[in-house]
């Protein structure tokens, strides 16, 4: 299975493709035709977020056990909110914790990267519009989420959407083990077979009201076990078939 990485280069990045254990420069477009180029031998290198989405559409309360821990009823249809593109950071980039905002939580999530412009897509065709799957940490200022009616501020701080380390192309999102770790301790453990609304239904639901363009992201919600982060912590989202997204936390 292909894994697409974006290698940091100056202010931007260049795509690389992992195939059979080797890392190669990617030739072509990740949203069109691409193939492997030269083998990359000059490691180590720094990876950035694999895409810069025009928008992140996030799903809330999509695991029964998480809805229970938040003392909220199960939603009858997907609960959606968005995170701004300015919240995106890459692997190992620091999450900046605003101490004035109160409690700030990690939320380990499986995220879907859109590969083709999608509007009014039926669930049965949804995976034709998905490029692949990545890890996302839906970092949340929990006290502000409870205080504000809307989620925009609580979910929208700069650095509150770590993404990566890669896009696993063609990975079936229906049965993926997902874990959340803080400072080497496992805090979250579930599987996407526990999602209330699965990925194809989410693509149908979201594209019924807005167009998704290549690089946009749907993040599917977090399982139970969310908890606070503080400066000095290191948080990791781990998903089978993708890898680990690890970020340090610093004071904003
Ligand atoms: Mg979330």
């Amino acid at each position: 299975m292909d894994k697409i990485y974006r290698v940091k280069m100056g202010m931007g990045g260049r795509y690389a493709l992992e195939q059979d254990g080797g890392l190669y420069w990617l030739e072509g477009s990740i949203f069109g035709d691409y193939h492997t180029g030269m083998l990359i031998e000059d490691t180590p290198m720094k990876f950035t977020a694999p895409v810069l989405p025009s928008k992140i559409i996030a799903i809330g309360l999509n695991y029964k056990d998480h809805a229970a821990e938040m003392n909220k009823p199960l939603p009858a249809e997907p609960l959606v909110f968005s995170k701004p593109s300015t919240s995106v950071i890459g692997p190992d980039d620091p999450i900046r914790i605003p101490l004035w905002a109160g409690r700030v939580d990690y939320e380990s999530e499986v995220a879907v990267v859109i590969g083709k412009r999608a509007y009014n897509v039926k669930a049965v065709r949804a995976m034709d519009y998905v490029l692949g799957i990545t890890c996302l940490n839906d970092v949340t200022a929990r006290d502000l989420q409870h205080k504000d009616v809307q989620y925009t501020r609580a979910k929208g701080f700069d650095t509150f959407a770590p993404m990566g380390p890669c896009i696993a192309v063609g990975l079936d999102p229906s049965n993926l083990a997902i874990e959340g770790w803080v400072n080497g301790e496992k805090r979250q453990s579930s599987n996407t077979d526990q999602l209330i609304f699965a990925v194809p239904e989410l693509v149908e639901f979201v594209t019924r009201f807005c167009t998704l363009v290549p690089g946009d992201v749907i993040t599917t919600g977090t399982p139970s076990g969310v908890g606070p982060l503080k400066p000095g912590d290191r948080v990791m989202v781990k998903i089978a078939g993708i890898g680990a997204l690890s970020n340090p936390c610093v004071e904003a």
Side-chain angles (χ1 to χ4, degrees):
M1 187 183 306
D2 288 353
K3 285 184 180 176
I4 295 173
Y5 292 84
R6 193 157 172 263
V7 178
K8 189 169 173 65
M9 288 201 146
M11 294 298 286
R14 181 174 171 190
Y15 281 108
L17 198 58
E18 186 187 320
Q19 264 184 359
D20 306 321
L23 192 64
Y24 303 84
W25 291 118
L26 181 149
E27 302 292 342
S29 165
I30 65 165
F31 302 121
D33 292 325
Y34 62 82
H35 58 274
T36 55
M38 297 278 287
L39 182 68
I40 302 174
E41 294 183 81
D42 51 337
T43 52
M45 53 184 56
K46 165 105 175 69
F47 298 123
T48 69
V51 282
L52 295 174
S54 79
K55 56 189 170 295
I56 298 171
I57 302 290
I59 311 299
L61 305 177
N62 201 18
Y63 288 83
K64 286 178 193 163
D65 54 358
H66 176 58
E69 76 177 348
M70 301 306 288
N71 293 312
K72 290 190 175 168
L74 292 185
E77 52 182 20
L79 171 73
V80 292
F81 57 93
S82 66
K83 290 171 83 81
S85 59
T86 42
S87 62
V88 173
I89 57 172
D92 289 313
D93 290 339
I95 297 166
R96 298 202 304 266
I97 310 277
L99 296 184
W100 60 267
R103 179 170 154 170
V104 172
D105 284 4
Y106 56 88
E107 293 190 356
S108 305
E109 306 199 358
V110 170
V112 176
V113 180
I114 295 297
K116 280 196 280 192
R117 190 178 181 86
Y119 182 73
N120 248 338
V121 172
K122 292 294 168 210
V124 289
R125 301 243 53 98
M127 294 313 291
D128 297 347
Y129 293 82
V130 171
L131 173 63
I133 309 297
T134 191
C135 309
L136 192 145
N137 192 340
D138 176 20
V139 181
T140 302
R142 193 69 72 199
D143 292 339
L144 296 184
Q145 183 188 21
H146 292 144
K147 182 177 167 194
D148 295 354
V149 176
Q150 300 288 333
Y151 286 7
T152 308
R153 181 166 69 146
K155 301 280 193 174
F157 282 80
D158 290 358
T159 76
F160 273 24
M163 265 177 59
C166 65
I167 303 167
V169 176
L171 185 65
D172 176 3
S174 68
N175 183 9
L176 297 175
I178 175 166
E179 293 174 356
W181 295 68
V182 180
N183 301 332
E185 279 178 30
K186 197 194 296 183
R187 303 283 178 82
Q188 294 186 283
S189 181
S190 190
N191 189 294
T192 52
D193 65 7
Q194 299 296 308
L195 285 174
I196 299 168
F197 302 104
V199 167
E201 294 169 85
L202 293 176
V203 171
E204 175 170 327
F205 186 85
V206 171
T207 65
R208 200 169 175 195
F209 77 89
C210 78
T211 299
L212 296 175
V213 299
D216 281 353
V217 167
I218 300 174
T219 190
T220 59
T222 198
S224 66
V226 300
L229 293 170
K230 60 183 188 312
D233 286 345
R234 182 166 273 271
V235 62
M236 185 171 80
V237 179
K238 209 168 149 186
I239 300 173
I242 302 169
L245 167 69
S246 173
N247 297 89
C249 300
V250 300
E251 187 177 336

